Amino acid sequence: MDAHIIALVLTAAFFHAVWNASVKRGEDKFRVITGIQAASIILVLPLLPFVGLPHADSWLYIALSAALHFGYYLSLAAAYRHGDFAQAYPVARGSAPILVALWGVLVLREALSGGQWAALILVLGGIMIFATRRLGGVLQQRKAMGCALLTAAFIAAYTVTDGIGGRRSGNVAAYMVYLTLLDSALVVLYSAQRWRGNEWRALATDWRLSLAGGALALSAYWMVVWSMSQTSIALVSALRETSVIIAALIGAYYFKEPAGKRRIVASIVIFAGIALLGWLES
């Protein structure tokens, strides 16, 4: 994996943790997600005249990904309602790369070297240290655990879908623009069926947060899909989930959630995996 792709995916990881923190911060989790998706539509519409169309083979993947993302948003909002940010986020994000890696090797026939497997295991191991730090608490909150694991399944499914779809599109920019429009439209239409005037007024009041979240979410996933079109889907997926480090810091210092030595160890393990990835490809 080239150094510039590693840097791009790590930037995406930071952006992702920040916009997820904004969802956790909101009183109505799905309202925040709706605002972010509405802002994403506004941000990509001006790009339509310039990006062209993705290849016809990728439209099925766009439709499937939009449906999977919709399920992801519903389960993500539920996970944040029932669990701490530093609890739900690592479980959801840490479980997904394992599923993606298995799919990549068994179905897509992506070959990984022994060194890449070692780096992947280090990154995933560090992520799972975060995820299991509060395992006792998670087991006591079955709803939080169930929603986080369901979120992980959706993450793995749309990651593989977009990894393949982005490659087949022949035009990642066009793929992302049309995916964003369909994906975001589903969320906004769903909320429009459920909301009354008060919810829309509250959303309008938070337009700055929505716009910032939309820009972060859109940029983060754009970087990830482009990176997956250039290199292994499994490795990009694992590297992206280093966002759990940022999530842990946000949870500890912003949400005042418990932190400890375990997270320091997890951070060291994760960065060892990242360094190994960079060294193997240098």
Side-chain angles (χ1 to χ4, degrees):
M1 187 181 293
D2 293 339
H4 72 280
I5 293 181
I6 292 176
L8 201 64
V9 177
L10 291 178
T11 301
F14 175 78
F15 286 176
H16 190 276
V18 173
W19 83 255
N20 269 251
S22 72
V23 175
K24 173 60 180 177
R25 172 179 172 270
E27 182 178 346
D28 184 329
K29 315 306 180 190
F30 202 78
R31 186 175 69 202
V32 178
I33 290 175
T34 301
I36 288 173
Q37 296 309 304
S40 296
I41 293 175
I42 294 171
L43 290 169
V44 300
L45 276 175
L47 301 178
L48 275 176
F50 306 103
V51 297
L53 292 172
H55 192 276
D57 289 347
S58 67
W59 284 104
L60 177 61
Y61 293 92
I62 291 173
L64 177 58
S65 179
L68 291 169
H69 271 87
F70 181 69
Y72 159 72
Y73 296 133
L74 291 174
S75 61
L76 179 69
Y80 288 156
R81 279 196 301 271
H82 298 297
D84 289 346
F85 182 65
Q87 174 194 69
Y89 191 96
V91 172
R93 305 308 307 190
S95 305
I98 300 172
L99 301 175
V100 173
L102 290 174
W103 182 274
V105 172
L106 298 176
V107 179
L108 302 181
R109 304 299 181 185
E110 289 189 336
L112 301 179
S113 68
Q116 288 174 321
W117 271 114
L120 182 64
I121 290 170
L122 278 173
V123 173
L124 295 180
I127 290 170
M128 293 312 296
I129 291 173
F130 276 115
T132 57
R133 180 186 179 276
R134 299 185 59 185
L135 185 58
V138 172
L139 290 176
Q140 292 174 9
Q141 301 180 48
R142 294 183 181 180
K143 285 185 178 180
M145 185 65 169
C147 291
L149 291 175
L150 179 61
T151 302
F154 278 119
I155 292 168
Y158 75 60
T159 297
V160 173
T161 299
D162 290 330
I164 301 171
R167 292 177 181 181
R168 294 195 176 186
S169 71
N171 183 343
V172 173
Y175 182 90
M176 284 303 301
V177 166
Y178 284 96
L179 171 60
T180 300
L181 289 174
L182 181 56
D183 165 21
S184 300
L186 287 176
V187 174
V188 173
L189 289 173
Y190 173 77
S191 293
Q193 294 296 315
R194 299 169 59 245
W195 287 0
R196 297 181 180 177
N198 290 339
E199 284 84 357
W200 289 111
R201 282 191 290 271
L203 188 64
T205 302
D206 291 335
W207 68 269
R208 292 180 182 84
L209 177 64
S210 296
L211 193 61
L216 288 172
L218 190 60
S219 299
Y221 202 54
W222 197 306
M223 294 175 190
V224 166
V225 173
W226 181 84
S227 297
M228 289 192 297
S229 72
Q230 303 298 309
T231 189
S232 165
I233 295 173
L235 294 179
V236 171
S237 175
L239 194 58
R240 176 180 59 167
E241 306 315 349
T242 54
S243 58
V244 298
I245 299 172
I246 307 301
L249 293 173
I250 293 172
Y253 294 104
Y254 185 77
F255 295 117
K256 307 302 181 184
E257 297 170 357
K261 295 180 181 178
R262 194 179 184 94
R263 288 178 181 173
I264 297 175
V265 173
S267 299
I268 294 172
V269 173
I270 289 170
F271 279 111
I274 294 170
L276 179 57
L277 275 177
W279 178 75
L280 288 171
E281 298 297 331
S282 63

